mmCIF file of all heavy atoms in Angstrom:
data_model
loop_
_atom_site.group_PDB
_atom_site.id
_atom_site.type_symbol
_atom_site.label_atom_id
_atom_site.label_comp_id
_atom_site.label_asym_id
_atom_site.label_seq_id
_atom_site.Cartn_x
_atom_site.Cartn_y
_atom_site.Cartn_z
ATOM 1 N N TRP A 37 38.328 -25.116 -118.810
ATOM 2 C CA TRP A 37 37.359 -24.987 -119.896
ATOM 3 C C TRP A 37 37.417 -23.589 -120.513
ATOM 4 O O TRP A 37 37.349 -23.441 -121.738
ATOM 5 C CB TRP A 37 35.951 -25.266 -119.371
ATOM 6 C CG TRP A 37 34.883 -24.987 -120.385
ATOM 7 C CD1 TRP A 37 34.570 -25.737 -121.476
ATOM 8 C CD2 TRP A 37 34.013 -23.860 -120.413
ATOM 9 N NE1 TRP A 37 33.547 -25.150 -122.180
ATOM 10 C CE2 TRP A 37 33.187 -23.994 -121.554
ATOM 11 C CE3 TRP A 37 33.833 -22.757 -119.589
ATOM 12 C CZ2 TRP A 37 32.215 -23.057 -121.873
ATOM 13 C CZ3 TRP A 37 32.867 -21.830 -119.910
ATOM 14 C CH2 TRP A 37 32.066 -21.983 -121.042
ATOM 15 N N THR A 41 38.325 -22.834 -124.356
ATOM 16 C CA THR A 41 37.415 -22.025 -125.173
ATOM 17 C C THR A 41 38.153 -20.840 -125.782
ATOM 18 O O THR A 41 38.011 -20.538 -126.978
ATOM 19 C CB THR A 41 36.243 -21.528 -124.312
ATOM 20 O OG1 THR A 41 35.569 -22.645 -123.741
ATOM 21 C CG2 THR A 41 35.259 -20.727 -125.144
ATOM 22 N N ALA A 42 38.943 -20.150 -124.934
ATOM 23 C CA ALA A 42 39.658 -18.971 -125.421
ATOM 24 C C ALA A 42 40.641 -19.324 -126.528
ATOM 25 O O ALA A 42 40.830 -18.562 -127.476
ATOM 26 C CB ALA A 42 40.396 -18.307 -124.259
ATOM 27 N N ILE A 45 38.128 -22.019 -129.824
ATOM 28 C CA ILE A 45 36.884 -21.752 -130.542
ATOM 29 C C ILE A 45 37.200 -21.031 -131.844
ATOM 30 O O ILE A 45 38.317 -20.539 -132.054
ATOM 31 C CB ILE A 45 35.893 -20.943 -129.685
ATOM 32 C CG1 ILE A 45 36.470 -19.563 -129.337
ATOM 33 C CG2 ILE A 45 35.499 -21.706 -128.443
ATOM 34 C CD1 ILE A 45 35.484 -18.666 -128.624
ATOM 35 N N GLU A 46 36.213 -20.915 -132.686
ATOM 36 C CA GLU A 46 36.457 -20.392 -134.040
ATOM 37 C C GLU A 46 37.025 -18.984 -134.032
ATOM 38 O O GLU A 46 37.797 -18.614 -134.910
ATOM 39 C CB GLU A 46 35.151 -20.433 -134.842
ATOM 40 C CG GLU A 46 35.343 -20.132 -136.320
ATOM 41 C CD GLU A 46 34.099 -20.432 -137.118
ATOM 42 O OE1 GLU A 46 33.071 -20.802 -136.505
ATOM 43 O OE2 GLU A 46 34.144 -20.302 -138.353
ATOM 44 N N LYS A 47 36.664 -18.188 -133.022
ATOM 45 C CA LYS A 47 37.190 -16.831 -132.917
ATOM 46 C C LYS A 47 38.099 -16.702 -131.698
ATOM 47 O O LYS A 47 38.173 -15.653 -131.069
ATOM 48 C CB LYS A 47 36.048 -15.825 -132.828
ATOM 49 C CG LYS A 47 35.174 -15.786 -134.079
ATOM 50 C CD LYS A 47 34.072 -14.746 -133.957
ATOM 51 C CE LYS A 47 33.211 -14.718 -135.209
ATOM 52 N NZ LYS A 47 32.118 -13.711 -135.119
ATOM 53 N N GLY A 48 38.794 -17.776 -131.378
ATOM 54 C CA GLY A 48 39.658 -17.786 -130.208
ATOM 55 C C GLY A 48 40.998 -17.127 -130.449
ATOM 56 O O GLY A 48 41.280 -16.584 -131.525
ATOM 57 N N VAL A 78 35.951 -28.708 -126.171
ATOM 58 C CA VAL A 78 35.199 -27.632 -125.534
ATOM 59 C C VAL A 78 33.779 -28.053 -125.190
ATOM 60 O O VAL A 78 33.310 -27.895 -124.054
ATOM 61 C CB VAL A 78 35.188 -26.380 -126.436
ATOM 62 C CG1 VAL A 78 34.307 -25.296 -125.819
ATOM 63 C CG2 VAL A 78 36.605 -25.862 -126.641
ATOM 64 N N ILE A 82 32.001 -28.818 -121.131
ATOM 65 C CA ILE A 82 30.917 -28.083 -120.472
ATOM 66 C C ILE A 82 29.663 -28.946 -120.332
ATOM 67 O O ILE A 82 28.891 -28.786 -119.386
ATOM 68 C CB ILE A 82 30.590 -26.784 -121.245
ATOM 69 C CG1 ILE A 82 29.604 -25.935 -120.438
ATOM 70 C CG2 ILE A 82 30.035 -27.074 -122.616
ATOM 71 C CD1 ILE A 82 29.322 -24.588 -121.073
ATOM 72 N N VAL A 120 20.499 -28.250 -122.179
ATOM 73 C CA VAL A 120 21.436 -27.187 -121.796
ATOM 74 C C VAL A 120 22.401 -27.775 -120.780
ATOM 75 O O VAL A 120 22.101 -28.790 -120.136
ATOM 76 C CB VAL A 120 20.703 -25.973 -121.171
ATOM 77 C CG1 VAL A 120 19.801 -25.309 -122.175
ATOM 78 C CG2 VAL A 120 19.930 -26.397 -119.925
ATOM 79 N N PRO A 121 23.580 -27.196 -120.604
ATOM 80 C CA PRO A 121 24.511 -27.687 -119.580
ATOM 81 C C PRO A 121 23.838 -27.728 -118.210
ATOM 82 O O PRO A 121 23.225 -26.759 -117.766
ATOM 83 C CB PRO A 121 25.653 -26.669 -119.627
ATOM 84 C CG PRO A 121 25.632 -26.156 -121.030
ATOM 85 C CD PRO A 121 24.174 -26.110 -121.407
ATOM 86 N N SER A 184 16.275 -22.893 -116.607
ATOM 87 C CA SER A 184 17.436 -22.237 -117.211
ATOM 88 C C SER A 184 17.018 -21.322 -118.352
ATOM 89 O O SER A 184 17.534 -20.210 -118.499
ATOM 90 C CB SER A 184 18.429 -23.289 -117.708
ATOM 91 O OG SER A 184 18.941 -24.048 -116.641
ATOM 92 N N ALA A 187 15.409 -18.276 -116.773
ATOM 93 C CA ALA A 187 16.422 -17.387 -116.212
ATOM 94 C C ALA A 187 17.175 -16.649 -117.316
ATOM 95 O O ALA A 187 17.479 -15.456 -117.193
ATOM 96 C CB ALA A 187 17.397 -18.182 -115.351
ATOM 97 N N SER A 188 17.461 -17.363 -118.409
ATOM 98 C CA SER A 188 18.151 -16.728 -119.530
ATOM 99 C C SER A 188 17.283 -15.635 -120.147
ATOM 100 O O SER A 188 17.785 -14.551 -120.503
ATOM 101 C CB SER A 188 18.507 -17.781 -120.584
ATOM 102 O OG SER A 188 19.139 -17.188 -121.695
ATOM 103 N N ASN A 189 15.991 -15.894 -120.253
ATOM 104 C CA ASN A 189 15.084 -14.876 -120.787
ATOM 105 C C ASN A 189 14.997 -13.657 -119.873
ATOM 106 O O ASN A 189 14.904 -12.523 -120.335
ATOM 107 C CB ASN A 189 13.684 -15.474 -120.981
ATOM 108 C CG ASN A 189 13.649 -16.522 -122.080
ATOM 109 O OD1 ASN A 189 14.483 -16.502 -122.993
ATOM 110 N ND2 ASN A 189 12.695 -17.446 -121.999
ATOM 111 N N VAL A 191 17.403 -12.604 -117.900
ATOM 112 C CA VAL A 191 18.652 -11.856 -118.098
ATOM 113 C C VAL A 191 18.597 -11.060 -119.391
ATOM 114 O O VAL A 191 18.982 -9.879 -119.436
ATOM 115 C CB VAL A 191 19.856 -12.816 -118.095
ATOM 116 C CG1 VAL A 191 21.131 -12.076 -118.498
ATOM 117 C CG2 VAL A 191 20.026 -13.450 -116.721
ATOM 118 N N ASP A 192 18.118 -11.704 -120.464
ATOM 119 C CA ASP A 192 18.003 -10.997 -121.748
ATOM 120 C C ASP A 192 17.071 -9.793 -121.620
ATOM 121 O O ASP A 192 17.345 -8.723 -122.180
ATOM 122 C CB ASP A 192 17.482 -11.950 -122.826
ATOM 123 C CG ASP A 192 18.501 -13.021 -123.184
ATOM 124 O OD1 ASP A 192 19.704 -12.801 -122.905
ATOM 125 O OD2 ASP A 192 18.103 -14.072 -123.719
ATOM 126 N N PHE A 193 15.969 -9.965 -120.880
ATOM 127 C CA PHE A 193 15.035 -8.855 -120.682
ATOM 128 C C PHE A 193 15.706 -7.710 -119.932
ATOM 129 O O PHE A 193 15.553 -6.535 -120.299
ATOM 130 C CB PHE A 193 13.812 -9.348 -119.911
ATOM 131 C CG PHE A 193 12.859 -8.250 -119.511
ATOM 132 C CD1 PHE A 193 11.944 -7.746 -120.428
ATOM 133 C CD2 PHE A 193 12.889 -7.711 -118.233
ATOM 134 C CE1 PHE A 193 11.071 -6.726 -120.070
ATOM 135 C CE2 PHE A 193 12.025 -6.697 -117.862
ATOM 136 C CZ PHE A 193 11.112 -6.202 -118.783
ATOM 137 N N VAL A 195 18.888 -7.042 -119.786
ATOM 138 C CA VAL A 195 19.901 -6.424 -120.646
ATOM 139 C C VAL A 195 19.246 -5.558 -121.714
ATOM 140 O O VAL A 195 19.648 -4.415 -121.944
ATOM 141 C CB VAL A 195 20.790 -7.511 -121.295
ATOM 142 C CG1 VAL A 195 21.723 -6.878 -122.330
ATOM 143 C CG2 VAL A 195 21.596 -8.238 -120.230
ATOM 144 N N ASP A 196 18.222 -6.097 -122.370
ATOM 145 C CA ASP A 196 17.569 -5.360 -123.458
ATOM 146 C C ASP A 196 16.918 -4.072 -122.961
ATOM 147 O O ASP A 196 16.802 -3.100 -123.710
ATOM 148 C CB ASP A 196 16.507 -6.247 -124.129
ATOM 149 C CG ASP A 196 17.125 -7.430 -124.860
ATOM 150 O OD1 ASP A 196 18.332 -7.372 -125.155
ATOM 151 O OD2 ASP A 196 16.399 -8.427 -125.098
ATOM 152 N N LEU A 227 24.361 -20.100 -114.323
ATOM 153 C CA LEU A 227 23.662 -19.379 -115.395
ATOM 154 C C LEU A 227 24.649 -18.781 -116.392
ATOM 155 O O LEU A 227 24.432 -18.823 -117.607
ATOM 156 C CB LEU A 227 22.787 -18.275 -114.790
ATOM 157 C CG LEU A 227 21.615 -18.735 -113.908
ATOM 158 C CD1 LEU A 227 20.877 -17.526 -113.348
ATOM 159 C CD2 LEU A 227 20.672 -19.637 -114.688
ATOM 160 N N GLY A 228 25.729 -18.219 -115.861
ATOM 161 C CA GLY A 228 26.728 -17.617 -116.740
ATOM 162 C C GLY A 228 27.411 -18.638 -117.618
ATOM 163 O O GLY A 228 27.721 -18.362 -118.791
ATOM 164 N N THR A 229 27.678 -19.814 -117.081
ATOM 165 C CA THR A 229 28.335 -20.854 -117.879
ATOM 166 C C THR A 229 27.427 -21.320 -119.008
ATOM 167 O O THR A 229 27.891 -21.574 -120.129
ATOM 168 C CB THR A 229 28.735 -22.034 -116.982
ATOM 169 O OG1 THR A 229 29.533 -21.556 -115.889
ATOM 170 C CG2 THR A 229 29.549 -23.055 -117.762
ATOM 171 N N ASN A 230 26.140 -21.445 -118.727
ATOM 172 C CA ASN A 230 25.197 -21.787 -119.800
ATOM 173 C C ASN A 230 25.213 -20.734 -120.901
ATOM 174 O O ASN A 230 25.239 -21.046 -122.093
ATOM 175 C CB ASN A 230 23.780 -21.911 -119.236
ATOM 176 C CG ASN A 230 23.595 -23.164 -118.401
ATOM 177 O OD1 ASN A 230 24.410 -24.081 -118.463
ATOM 178 N ND2 ASN A 230 22.532 -23.199 -117.612
ATOM 179 N N GLN A 231 25.200 -19.471 -120.484
ATOM 180 C CA GLN A 231 25.216 -18.382 -121.462
ATOM 181 C C GLN A 231 26.518 -18.358 -122.245
ATOM 182 O O GLN A 231 26.525 -18.154 -123.465
ATOM 183 C CB GLN A 231 25.001 -17.051 -120.739
ATOM 184 C CG GLN A 231 24.769 -15.868 -121.677
ATOM 185 C CD GLN A 231 24.523 -14.580 -120.915
ATOM 186 O OE1 GLN A 231 25.356 -14.136 -120.143
ATOM 187 N NE2 GLN A 231 23.354 -13.991 -121.126
ATOM 188 N N ALA A 232 27.646 -18.588 -121.542
ATOM 189 C CA ALA A 232 28.939 -18.587 -122.224
ATOM 190 C C ALA A 232 29.051 -19.746 -123.202
ATOM 191 O O ALA A 232 29.721 -19.629 -124.243
ATOM 192 C CB ALA A 232 30.064 -18.656 -121.193
ATOM 193 N N GLY A 233 28.407 -20.863 -122.870
ATOM 194 C CA GLY A 233 28.431 -21.993 -123.788
ATOM 195 C C GLY A 233 27.740 -21.680 -125.098
ATOM 196 O O GLY A 233 28.108 -22.222 -126.142
ATOM 197 N N GLU A 234 26.746 -20.797 -125.055
ATOM 198 C CA GLU A 234 26.022 -20.430 -126.270
ATOM 199 C C GLU A 234 26.643 -19.229 -126.982
ATOM 200 O O GLU A 234 26.740 -19.209 -128.206
ATOM 201 C CB GLU A 234 24.567 -20.113 -125.926
ATOM 202 C CG GLU A 234 23.795 -21.296 -125.351
ATOM 203 C CD GLU A 234 22.388 -20.910 -124.949
ATOM 204 O OE1 GLU A 234 22.034 -19.724 -125.127
ATOM 205 O OE2 GLU A 234 21.639 -21.776 -124.460
ATOM 206 N N ASP A 235 27.056 -18.212 -126.206
ATOM 207 C CA ASP A 235 27.517 -16.959 -126.799
ATOM 208 C C ASP A 235 29.023 -16.749 -126.733
ATOM 209 O O ASP A 235 29.537 -15.761 -127.272
ATOM 210 C CB ASP A 235 26.835 -15.777 -126.102
ATOM 211 C CG ASP A 235 25.319 -15.880 -126.147
ATOM 212 O OD1 ASP A 235 24.807 -16.490 -127.099
ATOM 213 O OD2 ASP A 235 24.655 -15.357 -125.219
ATOM 214 N N GLY A 236 29.732 -17.616 -126.047
ATOM 215 C CA GLY A 236 31.179 -17.454 -125.926
ATOM 216 C C GLY A 236 31.606 -16.546 -124.792
ATOM 217 O O GLY A 236 32.797 -16.420 -124.514
ATOM 218 N N LYS A 237 30.648 -15.912 -124.108
ATOM 219 C CA LYS A 237 30.965 -15.031 -122.978
ATOM 220 C C LYS A 237 29.680 -14.760 -122.213
ATOM 221 O O LYS A 237 28.576 -15.025 -122.704
ATOM 222 C CB LYS A 237 31.570 -13.716 -123.452
ATOM 223 C CG LYS A 237 30.622 -12.888 -124.326
ATOM 224 C CD LYS A 237 31.287 -11.617 -124.831
ATOM 225 C CE LYS A 237 30.334 -10.840 -125.746
ATOM 226 N NZ LYS A 237 30.960 -9.616 -126.291
ATOM 227 N N SER A 238 29.840 -14.239 -120.994
ATOM 228 C CA SER A 238 28.667 -13.889 -120.199
ATOM 229 C C SER A 238 28.993 -12.727 -119.278
ATOM 230 O O SER A 238 30.041 -12.713 -118.622
ATOM 231 C CB SER A 238 28.198 -15.081 -119.361
ATOM 232 O OG SER A 238 27.119 -14.704 -118.515
ATOM 233 N N ILE A 239 28.080 -11.779 -119.230
ATOM 234 C CA ILE A 239 28.218 -10.640 -118.323
ATOM 235 C C ILE A 239 27.943 -11.052 -116.873
ATOM 236 O O ILE A 239 28.378 -10.378 -115.929
ATOM 237 C CB ILE A 239 27.256 -9.512 -118.751
ATOM 238 C CG1 ILE A 239 27.583 -8.211 -117.998
ATOM 239 C CG2 ILE A 239 25.812 -9.918 -118.507
ATOM 240 C CD1 ILE A 239 26.739 -7.036 -118.435
ATOM 241 N N LEU A 240 27.259 -12.189 -116.696
ATOM 242 C CA LEU A 240 26.889 -12.621 -115.349
ATOM 243 C C LEU A 240 28.109 -12.917 -114.489
ATOM 244 O O LEU A 240 28.065 -12.791 -113.264
ATOM 245 C CB LEU A 240 25.986 -13.855 -115.415
ATOM 246 C CG LEU A 240 24.661 -13.687 -116.163
ATOM 247 C CD1 LEU A 240 23.857 -14.973 -116.126
ATOM 248 C CD2 LEU A 240 23.854 -12.541 -115.578
ATOM 249 N N PHE A 241 29.213 -13.312 -115.117
ATOM 250 C CA PHE A 241 30.431 -13.585 -114.359
ATOM 251 C C PHE A 241 30.993 -12.330 -113.704
ATOM 252 O O PHE A 241 31.840 -12.428 -112.811
ATOM 253 C CB PHE A 241 31.495 -14.190 -115.277
ATOM 254 C CG PHE A 241 31.158 -15.562 -115.792
ATOM 255 C CD1 PHE A 241 31.333 -15.877 -117.130
ATOM 256 C CD2 PHE A 241 30.669 -16.538 -114.943
ATOM 257 C CE1 PHE A 241 31.039 -17.136 -117.614
ATOM 258 C CE2 PHE A 241 30.359 -17.808 -115.419
ATOM 259 C CZ PHE A 241 30.544 -18.109 -116.758
ATOM 260 N N ASP A 314 28.801 -4.446 -124.223
ATOM 261 C CA ASP A 314 28.511 -5.849 -124.508
ATOM 262 C C ASP A 314 29.716 -6.720 -124.148
ATOM 263 O O ASP A 314 30.133 -7.590 -124.916
ATOM 264 C CB ASP A 314 28.151 -6.044 -125.978
ATOM 265 C CG ASP A 314 27.606 -7.445 -126.248
ATOM 266 O OD1 ASP A 314 27.044 -8.041 -125.312
ATOM 267 O OD2 ASP A 314 27.771 -7.940 -127.384
ATOM 268 N N SER A 315 30.275 -6.489 -122.978
ATOM 269 C CA SER A 315 31.473 -7.219 -122.565
ATOM 270 C C SER A 315 31.117 -8.332 -121.599
ATOM 271 O O SER A 315 30.053 -8.323 -120.969
ATOM 272 C CB SER A 315 32.479 -6.265 -121.918
ATOM 273 O OG SER A 315 31.880 -5.491 -120.895
ATOM 274 N N GLY A 316 32.014 -9.291 -121.470
ATOM 275 C CA GLY A 316 31.789 -10.409 -120.574
ATOM 276 C C GLY A 316 33.017 -11.283 -120.465
ATOM 277 O O GLY A 316 34.027 -11.066 -121.146
ATOM 278 N N LEU A 317 32.918 -12.305 -119.624
ATOM 279 C CA LEU A 317 34.002 -13.263 -119.431
ATOM 280 C C LEU A 317 33.618 -14.606 -120.031
ATOM 281 O O LEU A 317 32.446 -14.932 -120.165
ATOM 282 C CB LEU A 317 34.305 -13.444 -117.937
ATOM 283 C CG LEU A 317 34.604 -12.187 -117.117
ATOM 284 C CD1 LEU A 317 34.992 -12.586 -115.691
ATOM 285 C CD2 LEU A 317 35.694 -11.352 -117.752
ATOM 286 N N ARG A 318 34.631 -15.378 -120.372
ATOM 287 C CA ARG A 318 34.365 -16.708 -120.920
ATOM 288 C C ARG A 318 34.021 -17.717 -119.834
ATOM 289 O O ARG A 318 33.339 -18.706 -120.079
ATOM 290 C CB ARG A 318 35.590 -17.205 -121.691
ATOM 291 C CG ARG A 318 35.874 -16.445 -122.980
ATOM 292 C CD ARG A 318 36.904 -17.210 -123.798
ATOM 293 N NE ARG A 318 37.164 -16.566 -125.069
ATOM 294 C CZ ARG A 318 38.126 -15.693 -125.285
ATOM 295 N NH1 ARG A 318 38.918 -15.349 -124.280
ATOM 296 N NH2 ARG A 318 38.308 -15.146 -126.464
ATOM 297 N N ALA A 319 34.575 -17.519 -118.650
ATOM 298 C CA ALA A 319 34.397 -18.457 -117.543
ATOM 299 C C ALA A 319 34.474 -17.676 -116.242
ATOM 300 O O ALA A 319 34.852 -16.496 -116.235
ATOM 301 C CB ALA A 319 35.465 -19.556 -117.601
ATOM 302 N N GLN A 332 40.136 -14.343 -118.037
ATOM 303 C CA GLN A 332 38.913 -14.934 -118.577
ATOM 304 C C GLN A 332 38.138 -13.976 -119.479
ATOM 305 O O GLN A 332 37.055 -14.322 -119.951
ATOM 306 C CB GLN A 332 38.001 -15.390 -117.427
ATOM 307 C CG GLN A 332 38.604 -16.459 -116.529
ATOM 308 C CD GLN A 332 38.767 -17.790 -117.241
ATOM 309 O OE1 GLN A 332 38.590 -17.898 -118.451
ATOM 310 N NE2 GLN A 332 39.125 -18.818 -116.494
ATOM 311 N N THR A 333 38.653 -12.792 -119.716
ATOM 312 C CA THR A 333 37.944 -11.815 -120.552
ATOM 313 C C THR A 333 37.903 -12.261 -122.005
ATOM 314 O O THR A 333 38.918 -12.696 -122.570
ATOM 315 C CB THR A 333 38.627 -10.436 -120.454
ATOM 316 O OG1 THR A 333 38.573 -9.990 -119.099
ATOM 317 C CG2 THR A 333 37.925 -9.409 -121.339
ATOM 318 N N ALA A 334 36.740 -12.151 -122.610
ATOM 319 C CA ALA A 334 36.596 -12.504 -124.023
ATOM 320 C C ALA A 334 37.405 -11.541 -124.892
ATOM 321 O O ALA A 334 37.678 -10.397 -124.503
ATOM 322 C CB ALA A 334 35.122 -12.467 -124.418
ATOM 323 N N ASN A 335 37.784 -12.007 -126.095
ATOM 324 C CA ASN A 335 38.662 -11.215 -126.964
ATOM 325 C C ASN A 335 38.115 -9.830 -127.268
ATOM 326 O O ASN A 335 38.873 -8.863 -127.380
ATOM 327 C CB ASN A 335 38.897 -11.962 -128.287
ATOM 328 C CG ASN A 335 39.826 -13.150 -128.109
ATOM 329 O OD1 ASN A 335 40.390 -13.345 -127.035
ATOM 330 N ND2 ASN A 335 39.968 -13.958 -129.155
ATOM 331 N N ASP A 336 36.801 -9.703 -127.413
ATOM 332 C CA ASP A 336 36.213 -8.423 -127.805
ATOM 333 C C ASP A 336 35.763 -7.588 -126.605
ATOM 334 O O ASP A 336 35.042 -6.605 -126.767
ATOM 335 C CB ASP A 336 35.014 -8.658 -128.725
ATOM 336 C CG ASP A 336 33.913 -9.490 -128.053
ATOM 337 O OD1 ASP A 336 34.144 -9.992 -126.929
ATOM 338 O OD2 ASP A 336 32.830 -9.629 -128.662
ATOM 339 N N SER A 337 36.195 -7.981 -125.380
ATOM 340 C CA SER A 337 35.642 -7.337 -124.188
ATOM 341 C C SER A 337 36.675 -6.650 -123.302
ATOM 342 O O SER A 337 36.323 -6.157 -122.224
ATOM 343 C CB SER A 337 34.890 -8.380 -123.335
ATOM 344 O OG SER A 337 33.813 -8.941 -124.049
#
Side-chain angles (χ1 to χ4, degrees):
W37 173 74
T41 302
I45 63 174
E46 190 169 4
K47 296 181 180 180
V78 175
I82 188 175
V120 295
S184 296
S188 178
N189 292 335
V191 172
D192 291 340
F193 173 81
V195 173
D196 293 341
L227 295 178
T229 306
N230 288 345
Q231 190 178 60
E234 297 177 0
D235 304 332
K237 63 183 178 182
S238 176
I239 191 176
L240 300 181
F241 293 134
D314 190 27
S315 51
L317 306 185
R318 291 192 177 93
Q332 298 292 9
T333 299
N335 287 353
D336 60 353
S337 299

